[in-house]
Amino acid sequence: MIDLLIISLGAIVGANARYLLSRFAAKELGPVFPYGTLFINIVGSFIVGFFVIWTAERVLVDPRWRLLVVVGFCGSFTTFSSYAFETMSYFEQGQWMLMLGNVLSNNLLCLGAALSGMALARVL
């Protein structure tokens, strides 16, 4: 039962952070391209890559930290469903360049962020 509480606490923080960052990005950068979703997915990918390697190879921590950060926070912070919906919306609207840009940027930048996080964790 304590594990569910830990995951829930991380999820509350992650979901609220996603909401606030998405709104901020739309306000500052405009709603034409989903910069908020992209930024959130990049940051979340970096955090997961860093945290899993750091806690598996560098420091000993209670396994519940992984539940809090990776499952709870990053699970609710990152948003594949929003990415999928936004991409398919561009497809339906015939906005091929935005669709392609969204697919490439999310996939390449998120994979790069995860790899960067993993590499940084191994250096520290």
Side-chain angles (χ1 to χ4, degrees):
M1 189 58 140
I2 190 75
D3 290 353
L4 293 177
L5 179 61
I6 289 168
I7 292 168
S8 296
L9 291 173
I12 289 168
V13 174
N16 283 289
R18 180 176 77 202
Y19 172 75
L20 293 171
L21 284 171
S22 291
R23 288 187 50 120
F24 177 78
K27 180 182 173 193
E28 294 298 319
L29 302 171
V32 175
F33 188 81
Y35 292 107
T37 302
L38 176 60
F39 176 74
I40 287 163
N41 287 339
I42 291 168
V43 170
S45 297
F46 179 87
I47 291 171
V48 169
F50 177 85
F51 195 81
V52 170
I53 295 299
W54 188 62
T55 58
E57 297 180 9
R58 295 292 182 196
V59 299
L60 294 175
V61 297
D62 186 315
R64 291 185 175 138
W65 279 100
R66 191 175 288 188
L67 293 177
L68 177 76
V69 174
V70 176
V71 178
F73 178 80
C74 288
S76 67
F77 180 65
T78 59
T79 174
F80 188 83
S81 56
S82 292
Y83 156 69
F85 178 79
E86 291 158 352
T87 302
M88 289 300 94
S89 291
Y90 290 139
F91 174 78
E92 287 184 341
Q93 297 165 14
Q95 296 182 7
W96 311 114
M97 294 308 292
L98 287 173
M99 183 189 81
L100 183 62
N102 200 34
V103 169
L104 291 176
S105 61
N106 267 280
N107 286 289
L108 296 176
L109 295 174
C110 290
L111 291 172
L115 186 61
S116 297
M118 294 165 68
L120 179 62
R122 288 188 172 117
V123 170
L124 295 179

